[in-house]
Amino acid sequence: MRKRRDNYKDAPQNKLQTPNFPKSDSDKRSFLFCLAFRMLNSMLVQSYFNPDEHWQGPEVAHRIAFGYGHLTWEWKQGIRSYLHPFLFVPLYKFLALIHLDTPWFMMRAPRLLQSVFSAVGDLYLYKLSAVLFGHSVAKWAIFSQLSNWFMFYCFSRTLSNSLETVLTLVSLYYWPCMRTYVVKSSYASRKWGLFVAALACAIRPTSAVTWMYVGFLELFNAHDRLKFVFLEVAPIGTLVLGLTCLLDRFMYGTWVLVPLNFLKFNFLSSGGDYYGTHKWHWYFTQGFTVMIFSHLPFCIAGIVYSKQWKFSGLLAWVLGFYSILGHKEFRFVLPVLPIALMFSGYSLAVIEDPSAGSLEYKGKGFSKKKNKCPPKMTVAILFLLATNIPMALYMSLVHQRGPEDVMNHLAREAFQGNMKSILFLTPCHATPYYSMLHQNVPMKFLDCTPSEEKGVLDESDRFMMDPASFMSKYAQNWSLPSHIVLFDSEEQKLRSFLISFDYREEKRFFNAHFKVDRDLQASIVVYVKKDSTI
């Protein structure tokens, strides 16, 4: 019987040993532990981070499920796919069916669902680390991921970036070119990797940045290049793109090619720059270094000692590519943060067992010797926990929690029938919206749709520049709302105006100890009209 030729040029034949894979029982235990951790994590996240968490996911899903909700300008221009919001629609329908669509559940349920996806991402980081380095590194990679403050703060949020990160970890596990040993079922594995990568690109077109690197690496290493391109990439990519286009055709009511519109706005026209720009080096000097935080020295050491250049190259490629773009955000590079934390896990495994540093990581795994925890290891663990836990808890429980607290309060008031309408005099999209209020009462916020003409200020910017002047003109054509929501920084400038229209302070919620937007938004305040009765 003819021996099947290996797919890769540089894979040594019959010399590489398969590392010690975690067995299925170990996988189950790891997943259940990560699931419990992430569900607790989602309950502890009670702060507001980025508008997209609410406005581009749950808000859209709420509109689909219940018939009311706000669609931002992106949905009118067709640069967002309905694939990600659709994940929350069955959840909302189920809550309504069993009459649990109360303020508490509407606030918590989407993040609890995301926590399930996040636990899958944690599991696949464990599996990927075990494949590359063995069980010991996998154990410490998971420790690094679970202890990292930014993963705790961001991973359970309903951002499309969070799901993109999960899909990235799953896909990387299946790509043969990212492994260091011969894989018997490389064809099937590669197809799964391609399919999940295509889903990641459907969720967020920018995910293509990651898969350009992996795809070209696969193309360079594989013997069956024509088969890879024409029998795998093309059909799988077409299938996922076609299904996504059908979903968007059904929801938009017309044919919309979201990836093309997304590319035109964010890359060809630099539309993202409307929301602010940073220096080219921001990810290296501030953004990513803040995200990885005290794990950074362990990450650097792990990259050097492991010599796993494929993954460190992916890390450099993604950070370098996003550095070219003017508009930068922490969440854009979230998908590669677990890769950096995997290298941190490698360093911790070497500290635990110094003899591991002399072993070839490719296919051999680490020593299984059971030694007492070395003093260096104790210091490293305490250092990481002491620096990350306070940061994670402060950012998740304290900093910028006002928008979620105020919407929780308004949702309870609306649920009890104590309001007629709401006006948000805050920066654009500064609070959640109908997805948390879950009552079809009239609401209005200050618009911030980008103008086609440069230099033209939007409604939100005009208000923030001169609140008193803006409101004096605005009040000429408004119908008085029963509730007004604003930050204390603007309240000071509008207090006399509000009193003149018979508004009184109803509730004040803490928001932040330091600047969030333009000013110190220390608290967020709810004003109610004195004669507003239902």
Side-chain angles (χ1 to χ4, degrees), residues 85-110:
F86 237 88
L87 295 173
F88 302 101
V89 174
L91 174 66
Y92 283 147
K93 289 286 191 182
F94 178 72
L95 290 176
L97 180 66
I98 60 176
H99 304 292
L100 281 179
D101 52 334
T102 60
W104 192 91
F105 279 99
M106 294 300 291
M107 181 179 181
R108 295 293 173 202

PDB file of all heavy atoms in Angstrom, residues 85-110:
ATOM      1  N   PRO A  85     -25.555  39.909  15.904  1.00  0.00           N
ATOM      2  CA  PRO A  85     -26.754  40.198  16.702  1.00  0.00           C
ATOM      3  C   PRO A  85     -27.755  39.050  16.731  1.00  0.00           C
ATOM      4  O   PRO A  85     -28.460  38.861  17.731  1.00  0.00           O
ATOM      5  CB  PRO A  85     -27.347  41.432  16.010  1.00  0.00           C
ATOM      6  CG  PRO A  85     -26.213  42.066  15.302  1.00  0.00           C
ATOM      7  CD  PRO A  85     -25.316  40.945  14.890  1.00  0.00           C
ATOM      8  N   PHE A  86     -27.803  38.273  15.646  1.00  0.00           N
ATOM      9  CA  PHE A  86     -28.783  37.188  15.575  1.00  0.00           C
ATOM     10  C   PHE A  86     -28.572  36.138  16.663  1.00  0.00           C
ATOM     11  O   PHE A  86     -29.504  35.414  17.026  1.00  0.00           O
ATOM     12  CB  PHE A  86     -28.741  36.523  14.198  1.00  0.00           C
ATOM     13  CG  PHE A  86     -30.061  36.550  13.495  1.00  0.00           C
ATOM     14  CD1 PHE A  86     -30.416  37.630  12.704  1.00  0.00           C
ATOM     15  CD2 PHE A  86     -30.967  35.519  13.635  1.00  0.00           C
ATOM     16  CE1 PHE A  86     -31.638  37.680  12.068  1.00  0.00           C
ATOM     17  CE2 PHE A  86     -32.194  35.551  13.006  1.00  0.00           C
ATOM     18  CZ  PHE A  86     -32.535  36.636  12.214  1.00  0.00           C
ATOM     19  N   LEU A  87     -27.361  36.043  17.186  1.00  0.00           N
ATOM     20  CA  LEU A  87     -27.084  35.062  18.243  1.00  0.00           C
ATOM     21  C   LEU A  87     -27.896  35.340  19.504  1.00  0.00           C
ATOM     22  O   LEU A  87     -28.196  34.415  20.270  1.00  0.00           O
ATOM     23  CB  LEU A  87     -25.586  35.069  18.583  1.00  0.00           C
ATOM     24  CG  LEU A  87     -24.632  34.620  17.479  1.00  0.00           C
ATOM     25  CD1 LEU A  87     -23.192  34.848  17.911  1.00  0.00           C
ATOM     26  CD2 LEU A  87     -24.851  33.152  17.135  1.00  0.00           C
ATOM     27  N   PHE A  88     -28.249  36.602  19.729  1.00  0.00           N
ATOM     28  CA  PHE A  88     -28.968  36.969  20.948  1.00  0.00           C
ATOM     29  C   PHE A  88     -30.485  36.925  20.780  1.00  0.00           C
ATOM     30  O   PHE A  88     -31.208  37.016  21.768  1.00  0.00           O
ATOM     31  CB  PHE A  88     -28.543  38.377  21.397  1.00  0.00           C
ATOM     32  CG  PHE A  88     -27.072  38.498  21.656  1.00  0.00           C
ATOM     33  CD1 PHE A  88     -26.239  39.089  20.709  1.00  0.00           C
ATOM     34  CD2 PHE A  88     -26.508  38.014  22.820  1.00  0.00           C
ATOM     35  CE1 PHE A  88     -24.873  39.190  20.937  1.00  0.00           C
ATOM     36  CE2 PHE A  88     -25.155  38.107  23.050  1.00  0.00           C
ATOM     37  CZ  PHE A  88     -24.328  38.693  22.108  1.00  0.00           C
ATOM     38  N   VAL A  89     -30.954  36.790  19.551  1.00  0.00           N
ATOM     39  CA  VAL A  89     -32.396  36.777  19.307  1.00  0.00           C
ATOM     40  C   VAL A  89     -33.080  35.588  19.984  1.00  0.00           C
ATOM     41  O   VAL A  89     -34.089  35.772  20.686  1.00  0.00           O
ATOM     42  CB  VAL A  89     -32.694  36.805  17.791  1.00  0.00           C
ATOM     43  CG1 VAL A  89     -34.195  36.654  17.541  1.00  0.00           C
ATOM     44  CG2 VAL A  89     -32.182  38.107  17.175  1.00  0.00           C
ATOM     45  N   PRO A  90     -32.587  34.339  19.813  1.00  0.00           N
ATOM     46  CA  PRO A  90     -33.229  33.216  20.507  1.00  0.00           C
ATOM     47  C   PRO A  90     -33.231  33.388  22.029  1.00  0.00           C
ATOM     48  O   PRO A  90     -34.188  32.977  22.700  1.00  0.00           O
ATOM     49  CB  PRO A  90     -32.388  32.001  20.091  1.00  0.00           C
ATOM     50  CG  PRO A  90     -31.725  32.409  18.825  1.00  0.00           C
ATOM     51  CD  PRO A  90     -31.475  33.874  18.963  1.00  0.00           C
ATOM     52  N   LEU A  91     -32.175  33.987  22.569  1.00  0.00           N
ATOM     53  CA  LEU A  91     -32.107  34.233  24.005  1.00  0.00           C
ATOM     54  C   LEU A  91     -33.237  35.151  24.448  1.00  0.00           C
ATOM     55  O   LEU A  91     -33.944  34.870  25.428  1.00  0.00           O
ATOM     56  CB  LEU A  91     -30.749  34.842  24.360  1.00  0.00           C
ATOM     57  CG  LEU A  91     -30.563  35.298  25.815  1.00  0.00           C
ATOM     58  CD1 LEU A  91     -30.590  34.098  26.754  1.00  0.00           C
ATOM     59  CD2 LEU A  91     -29.258  36.069  25.972  1.00  0.00           C
ATOM     60  N   TYR A  92     -33.434  36.260  23.733  1.00  0.00           N
ATOM     61  CA  TYR A  92     -34.504  37.196  24.080  1.00  0.00           C
ATOM     62  C   TYR A  92     -35.879  36.550  23.923  1.00  0.00           C
ATOM     63  O   TYR A  92     -36.771  36.749  24.753  1.00  0.00           O
ATOM     64  CB  TYR A  92     -34.409  38.446  23.199  1.00  0.00           C
ATOM     65  CG  TYR A  92     -33.317  39.411  23.599  1.00  0.00           C
ATOM     66  CD1 TYR A  92     -32.638  40.173  22.657  1.00  0.00           C
ATOM     67  CD2 TYR A  92     -32.976  39.584  24.936  1.00  0.00           C
ATOM     68  CE1 TYR A  92     -31.661  41.072  23.011  1.00  0.00           C
ATOM     69  CE2 TYR A  92     -31.991  40.483  25.307  1.00  0.00           C
ATOM     70  CZ  TYR A  92     -31.332  41.222  24.345  1.00  0.00           C
ATOM     71  OH  TYR A  92     -30.362  42.114  24.726  1.00  0.00           O
ATOM     72  N   LYS A  93     -36.059  35.781  22.863  1.00  0.00           N
ATOM     73  CA  LYS A  93     -37.331  35.104  22.639  1.00  0.00           C
ATOM     74  C   LYS A  93     -37.631  34.113  23.763  1.00  0.00           C
ATOM     75  O   LYS A  93     -38.773  33.999  24.235  1.00  0.00           O
ATOM     76  CB  LYS A  93     -37.299  34.366  21.300  1.00  0.00           C
ATOM     77  CG  LYS A  93     -37.326  35.275  20.083  1.00  0.00           C
ATOM     78  CD  LYS A  93     -38.718  35.860  19.868  1.00  0.00           C
ATOM     79  CE  LYS A  93     -38.831  36.553  18.525  1.00  0.00           C
ATOM     80  NZ  LYS A  93     -40.170  37.165  18.321  1.00  0.00           N
ATOM     81  N   PHE A  94     -36.602  33.407  24.201  1.00  0.00           N
ATOM     82  CA  PHE A  94     -36.768  32.429  25.278  1.00  0.00           C
ATOM     83  C   PHE A  94     -37.133  33.120  26.590  1.00  0.00           C
ATOM     84  O   PHE A  94     -38.030  32.662  27.317  1.00  0.00           O
ATOM     85  CB  PHE A  94     -35.490  31.608  25.439  1.00  0.00           C
ATOM     86  CG  PHE A  94     -35.551  30.610  26.569  1.00  0.00           C
ATOM     87  CD1 PHE A  94     -36.327  29.467  26.467  1.00  0.00           C
ATOM     88  CD2 PHE A  94     -34.820  30.826  27.735  1.00  0.00           C
ATOM     89  CE1 PHE A  94     -36.382  28.549  27.512  1.00  0.00           C
ATOM     90  CE2 PHE A  94     -34.870  29.914  28.777  1.00  0.00           C
ATOM     91  CZ  PHE A  94     -35.653  28.776  28.667  1.00  0.00           C
ATOM     92  N   LEU A  95     -36.443  34.217  26.903  1.00  0.00           N
ATOM     93  CA  LEU A  95     -36.755  34.959  28.124  1.00  0.00           C
ATOM     94  C   LEU A  95     -38.196  35.461  28.109  1.00  0.00           C
ATOM     95  O   LEU A  95     -38.893  35.401  29.129  1.00  0.00           O
ATOM     96  CB  LEU A  95     -35.793  36.139  28.285  1.00  0.00           C
ATOM     97  CG  LEU A  95     -34.337  35.811  28.627  1.00  0.00           C
ATOM     98  CD1 LEU A  95     -33.490  37.080  28.655  1.00  0.00           C
ATOM     99  CD2 LEU A  95     -34.230  35.081  29.966  1.00  0.00           C
ATOM    100  N   ALA A  96     -38.650  35.944  26.953  1.00  0.00           N
ATOM    101  CA  ALA A  96     -40.031  36.426  26.846  1.00  0.00           C
ATOM    102  C   ALA A  96     -41.021  35.272  26.986  1.00  0.00           C
ATOM    103  O   ALA A  96     -42.080  35.421  27.610  1.00  0.00           O
ATOM    104  CB  ALA A  96     -40.231  37.137  25.513  1.00  0.00           C
ATOM    105  N   LEU A  97     -40.667  34.116  26.419  1.00  0.00           N
ATOM    106  CA  LEU A  97     -41.559  32.959  26.457  1.00  0.00           C
ATOM    107  C   LEU A  97     -41.815  32.482  27.881  1.00  0.00           C
ATOM    108  O   LEU A  97     -42.934  32.110  28.236  1.00  0.00           O
ATOM    109  CB  LEU A  97     -40.963  31.822  25.614  1.00  0.00           C
ATOM    110  CG  LEU A  97     -41.773  30.525  25.536  1.00  0.00           C
ATOM    111  CD1 LEU A  97     -43.090  30.766  24.798  1.00  0.00           C
ATOM    112  CD2 LEU A  97     -40.963  29.437  24.840  1.00  0.00           C
ATOM    113  N   ILE A  98     -40.758  32.506  28.711  1.00  0.00           N
ATOM    114  CA  ILE A  98     -40.906  32.034  30.093  1.00  0.00           C
ATOM    115  C   ILE A  98     -41.126  33.197  31.071  1.00  0.00           C
ATOM    116  O   ILE A  98     -41.009  33.035  32.280  1.00  0.00           O
ATOM    117  CB  ILE A  98     -39.690  31.181  30.533  1.00  0.00           C
ATOM    118  CG1 ILE A  98     -38.394  31.993  30.469  1.00  0.00           C
ATOM    119  CG2 ILE A  98     -39.571  29.928  29.675  1.00  0.00           C
ATOM    120  CD1 ILE A  98     -37.174  31.254  30.977  1.00  0.00           C
ATOM    121  N   HIS A  99     -41.403  34.393  30.502  1.00  0.00           N
ATOM    122  CA  HIS A  99     -41.728  35.586  31.303  1.00  0.00           C
ATOM    123  C   HIS A  99     -40.606  35.985  32.261  1.00  0.00           C
ATOM    124  O   HIS A  99     -40.846  36.403  33.389  1.00  0.00           O
ATOM    125  CB  HIS A  99     -43.027  35.355  32.088  1.00  0.00           C
ATOM    126  CG  HIS A  99     -44.187  34.982  31.220  1.00  0.00           C
ATOM    127  ND1 HIS A  99     -44.767  35.860  30.331  1.00  0.00           N
ATOM    128  CD2 HIS A  99     -44.865  33.800  31.088  1.00  0.00           C
ATOM    129  CE1 HIS A  99     -45.761  35.252  29.697  1.00  0.00           C
ATOM    130  NE2 HIS A  99     -45.843  33.997  30.128  1.00  0.00           N
ATOM    131  N   LEU A 100     -39.381  35.851  31.771  1.00  0.00           N
ATOM    132  CA  LEU A 100     -38.221  36.286  32.550  1.00  0.00           C
ATOM    133  C   LEU A 100     -37.539  37.500  31.907  1.00  0.00           C
ATOM    134  O   LEU A 100     -36.383  37.789  32.224  1.00  0.00           O
ATOM    135  CB  LEU A 100     -37.206  35.148  32.709  1.00  0.00           C
ATOM    136  CG  LEU A 100     -37.533  34.099  33.781  1.00  0.00           C
ATOM    137  CD1 LEU A 100     -36.456  33.022  33.824  1.00  0.00           C
ATOM    138  CD2 LEU A 100     -37.674  34.747  35.162  1.00  0.00           C
ATOM    139  N   ASP A 101     -38.259  38.183  31.014  1.00  0.00           N
ATOM    140  CA  ASP A 101     -37.675  39.376  30.388  1.00  0.00           C
ATOM    141  C   ASP A 101     -37.851  40.584  31.301  1.00  0.00           C
ATOM    142  O   ASP A 101     -38.415  41.610  30.924  1.00  0.00           O
ATOM    143  CB  ASP A 101     -38.274  39.621  29.009  1.00  0.00           C
ATOM    144  CG  ASP A 101     -39.792  39.632  29.017  1.00  0.00           C
ATOM    145  OD1 ASP A 101     -40.396  39.005  29.891  1.00  0.00           O
ATOM    146  OD2 ASP A 101     -40.377  40.287  28.122  1.00  0.00           O
ATOM    147  N   THR A 102     -37.341  40.442  32.510  1.00  0.00           N
ATOM    148  CA  THR A 102     -37.364  41.502  33.518  1.00  0.00           C
ATOM    149  C   THR A 102     -36.076  42.313  33.412  1.00  0.00           C
ATOM    150  O   THR A 102     -35.112  41.866  32.765  1.00  0.00           O
ATOM    151  CB  THR A 102     -37.485  40.904  34.926  1.00  0.00           C
ATOM    152  OG1 THR A 102     -36.360  40.042  35.157  1.00  0.00           O
ATOM    153  CG2 THR A 102     -38.775  40.094  35.070  1.00  0.00           C
ATOM    154  N   PRO A 103     -36.008  43.494  34.042  1.00  0.00           N
ATOM    155  CA  PRO A 103     -34.793  44.314  33.934  1.00  0.00           C
ATOM    156  C   PRO A 103     -33.514  43.566  34.291  1.00  0.00           C
ATOM    157  O   PRO A 103     -32.491  43.705  33.609  1.00  0.00           O
ATOM    158  CB  PRO A 103     -35.075  45.468  34.909  1.00  0.00           C
ATOM    159  CG  PRO A 103     -36.552  45.630  34.874  1.00  0.00           C
ATOM    160  CD  PRO A 103     -37.097  44.230  34.725  1.00  0.00           C
ATOM    161  N   TRP A 104     -33.548  42.766  35.354  1.00  0.00           N
ATOM    162  CA  TRP A 104     -32.324  42.069  35.788  1.00  0.00           C
ATOM    163  C   TRP A 104     -31.852  41.087  34.722  1.00  0.00           C
ATOM    164  O   TRP A 104     -30.671  41.050  34.377  1.00  0.00           O
ATOM    165  CB  TRP A 104     -32.570  41.340  37.102  1.00  0.00           C
ATOM    166  CG  TRP A 104     -31.305  40.846  37.750  1.00  0.00           C
ATOM    167  CD1 TRP A 104     -30.532  41.508  38.658  1.00  0.00           C
ATOM    168  CD2 TRP A 104     -30.647  39.584  37.508  1.00  0.00           C
ATOM    169  NE1 TRP A 104     -29.434  40.731  39.007  1.00  0.00           N
ATOM    170  CE2 TRP A 104     -29.482  39.560  38.318  1.00  0.00           C
ATOM    171  CE3 TRP A 104     -30.924  38.484  36.702  1.00  0.00           C
ATOM    172  CZ2 TRP A 104     -28.616  38.469  38.334  1.00  0.00           C
ATOM    173  CZ3 TRP A 104     -30.047  37.402  36.710  1.00  0.00           C
ATOM    174  CH2 TRP A 104     -28.919  37.402  37.517  1.00  0.00           C
ATOM    175  N   PHE A 105     -32.760  40.274  34.200  1.00  0.00           N
ATOM    176  CA  PHE A 105     -32.373  39.273  33.201  1.00  0.00           C
ATOM    177  C   PHE A 105     -31.994  39.919  31.868  1.00  0.00           C
ATOM    178  O   PHE A 105     -31.085  39.453  31.187  1.00  0.00           O
ATOM    179  CB  PHE A 105     -33.500  38.261  32.997  1.00  0.00           C
ATOM    180  CG  PHE A 105     -33.537  37.184  34.037  1.00  0.00           C
ATOM    181  CD1 PHE A 105     -34.420  37.260  35.101  1.00  0.00           C
ATOM    182  CD2 PHE A 105     -32.681  36.098  33.969  1.00  0.00           C
ATOM    183  CE1 PHE A 105     -34.453  36.277  36.073  1.00  0.00           C
ATOM    184  CE2 PHE A 105     -32.706  35.103  34.928  1.00  0.00           C
ATOM    185  CZ  PHE A 105     -33.597  35.191  35.989  1.00  0.00           C
ATOM    186  N   MET A 106     -32.683  40.970  31.487  1.00  0.00           N
ATOM    187  CA  MET A 106     -32.354  41.644  30.232  1.00  0.00           C
ATOM    188  C   MET A 106     -30.965  42.272  30.296  1.00  0.00           C
ATOM    189  O   MET A 106     -30.284  42.401  29.275  1.00  0.00           O
ATOM    190  CB  MET A 106     -33.397  42.715  29.914  1.00  0.00           C
ATOM    191  CG  MET A 106     -34.785  42.169  29.617  1.00  0.00           C
ATOM    192  SD  MET A 106     -34.840  41.042  28.197  1.00  0.00           S
ATOM    193  CE  MET A 106     -34.511  42.174  26.858  1.00  0.00           C
ATOM    194  N   MET A 107     -30.545  42.617  31.490  1.00  0.00           N
ATOM    195  CA  MET A 107     -29.220  43.205  31.678  1.00  0.00           C
ATOM    196  C   MET A 107     -28.140  42.133  31.699  1.00  0.00           C
ATOM    197  O   MET A 107     -27.059  42.301  31.115  1.00  0.00           O
ATOM    198  CB  MET A 107     -29.189  44.000  32.989  1.00  0.00           C
ATOM    199  CG  MET A 107     -27.874  44.675  33.293  1.00  0.00           C
ATOM    200  SD  MET A 107     -27.981  45.599  34.865  1.00  0.00           S
ATOM    201  CE  MET A 107     -26.346  46.308  34.948  1.00  0.00           C
ATOM    202  N   ARG A 108     -28.420  40.994  32.350  1.00  0.00           N
ATOM    203  CA  ARG A 108     -27.395  39.985  32.587  1.00  0.00           C
ATOM    204  C   ARG A 108     -27.335  38.872  31.544  1.00  0.00           C
ATOM    205  O   ARG A 108     -26.275  38.322  31.271  1.00  0.00           O
ATOM    206  CB  ARG A 108     -27.622  39.337  33.962  1.00  0.00           C
ATOM    207  CG  ARG A 108     -27.449  40.285  35.129  1.00  0.00           C
ATOM    208  CD  ARG A 108     -26.026  40.716  35.268  1.00  0.00           C
ATOM    209  NE  ARG A 108     -25.851  41.742  36.277  1.00  0.00           N
ATOM    210  CZ  ARG A 108     -24.831  42.573  36.320  1.00  0.00           C
ATOM    211  NH1 ARG A 108     -23.904  42.516  35.388  1.00  0.00           N
ATOM    212  NH2 ARG A 108     -24.735  43.479  37.267  1.00  0.00           N
ATOM    213  N   ALA A 109     -28.473  38.514  30.972  1.00  0.00           N
ATOM    214  CA  ALA A 109     -28.536  37.327  30.114  1.00  0.00           C
ATOM    215  C   ALA A 109     -27.580  37.380  28.911  1.00  0.00           C
ATOM    216  O   ALA A 109     -26.916  36.376  28.622  1.00  0.00           O
ATOM    217  CB  ALA A 109     -29.972  37.100  29.653  1.00  0.00           C
ATOM    218  N   PRO A 110     -27.485  38.500  28.173  1.00  0.00           N
ATOM    219  CA  PRO A 110     -26.556  38.509  27.031  1.00  0.00           C
ATOM    220  C   PRO A 110     -25.105  38.236  27.429  1.00  0.00           C
ATOM    221  O   PRO A 110     -24.394  37.508  26.722  1.00  0.00           O
ATOM    222  CB  PRO A 110     -26.720  39.927  26.457  1.00  0.00           C
ATOM    223  CG  PRO A 110     -28.100  40.331  26.852  1.00  0.00           C
ATOM    224  CD  PRO A 110     -28.292  39.748  28.221  1.00  0.00           C
TER     225      PRO A 110
END
